[in-house]
Amino acid sequence: NAGVTQTPKFQVLKTGQSMTLQCAQDMNHEYMSWYRQDPGMGLRLIHYSVGAGITDQGEVPNGYNVSRSTTEDFPLRLLSAAPSQTSVYFCASSSDSYLSGANVLTFGAGSRLTVL
Amino acid sequence: GDSVTQMEGPVTLSEEAFLTINCTYTATGYPSLFWYVQYPGEGLQLLLKATKADDKGSNKGFEATYRKETTSFHLEKGSVQVSDSAVYFCALGFLNRDDKIIFGKGTRLHILP
């Protein structure tokens, strides 16, 4: 049981380049989300999705795009990378079960992105 | 707005010492409360949770009690081990809230042998 899989684990970009961070889960979770983790800032929500075809913005969405064409996948796109986007990115998912274990997130191992 | 405040680290203890990591929250309504742990090089994983006032969450020797009167959810362990060295995040979340969980900034814990 793989859980939440993120790729790549490490990436270096130049300012202005684009890339996609991949996230896939095999638990049939309806809810998926992307966080960024920065020193002294904790985790901040970028975008989230409550099901295929539905996405919404979190706390820090600027500079990022997402889509959710399937239940399993939730890619995060950086269209024009900036040094301020240097961070560790985590994808997380959750079952849509508000009555039991609500809000328990399963995290991927993270993707470390450096923008030069 | 809703927020979580936890003690700043790093916290350094000797093995077998008693651990407390403070966490307080501000929220409208009645959130569920969580502690997540992040071991080096890994993603976060749920350590324990409590869904209503006076509930006690426990796991791996760690405990935390949901205190509504003091809006707190302090993490405790009676005897820490070197393997407990990690970053600990306090968090809150609401039923039926799509923006899910709000995390504290994390507390790094170092346990010395």
Side-chain angles (χ1 to χ4, degrees):
Chain A
N1 195 355
V4 178
T5 302
Q6 291 183 233
T7 56
K9 294 183 76 67
F10 302 95
Q11 182 72 49
V12 179
L13 292 177
K14 295 181 180 178
T15 297
Q17 287 185 318
S18 63
M19 78 155 300
T20 298
L21 299 177
Q22 302 290 346
C23 176
Q25 53 89 11
D26 61 359
M27 298 170 285
N28 202 33
H29 284 173
E30 291 294 326
Y31 180 90
M32 297 185 73
S33 56
W34 278 101
Y35 289 86
R36 58 178 290 174
Q37 183 180 29
D38 301 294
M41 300 294 291
L43 275 80
R44 293 181 291 172
L45 182 64
I46 304 171
H47 284 285
Y48 63 95
S49 168
V50 298
I54 306 169
T55 63
D56 209 340
Q57 297 181 351
E59 179 185 359
V60 288
N62 292 341
Y64 307 95
N65 284 344
V66 292
S67 60
R68 185 92 179 271
S69 57
T70 67
T71 299
E72 294 78 18
D73 301 300
F74 191 46
L76 178 72
R77 298 183 183 85
L78 287 71
L79 298 180
S80 179
S84 60
Q85 294 178 303
T86 294
S87 187
V88 180
Y89 292 85
F90 287 99
C91 181
S93 70
S94 177
S95 62
D96 186 24
S97 177
Y98 292 110
L99 296 180
S100 62
N103 298 322
V104 175
L105 293 171
T106 300
F107 281 83
S111 298
R112 182 176 295 275
L113 175 66
T114 301
V115 183
L116 302 176
Chain B
D2 303 320
S3 66
V4 174
T5 302
Q6 58 183 109
M7 61 189 294
E8 293 190 20
V11 174
T12 302
L13 296 172
S14 297
E15 202 166 24
E16 300 184 0
F18 184 86
L19 168 71
T20 299
I21 300 178
N22 291 336
C23 172
T24 58
Y25 67 91
T26 301
T28 53
Y30 304 98
S32 297
L33 300 174
F34 308 85
W35 278 100
Y36 281 80
V37 58
Q38 183 181 29
Y39 297 105
E42 299 182 9
L44 281 73
Q45 56 185 273
L46 180 70
L47 179 60
L48 54 84
K49 65 180 175 76
T51 57
K52 62 183 187 295
D54 299 325
D55 269 3
K56 177 186 285 188
S58 61
N59 186 25
K60 299 181 181 179
F62 291 90
E63 293 183 341
T65 301
Y66 190 143
R67 300 288 187 198
K68 183 181 173 185
E69 64 275 14
T70 55
T71 61
S72 64
F73 193 55
H74 304 321
L75 182 68
E76 297 181 336
K77 186 174 185 181
S79 177
V80 293
Q81 306 300 312
V82 172
S83 58
D84 294 327
S85 297
V87 181
Y88 292 82
F89 292 89
C90 186
L92 64 83
F94 293 87
L95 291 176
N96 297 322
R97 275 270 297 268
D98 289 340
D99 55 349
K100 289 292 181 176
I101 294 186
I102 297 170
F103 287 89
K105 295 184 178 181
T107 302
R108 184 174 297 277
L109 176 65
H110 294 291
I111 305 300
L112 303 175

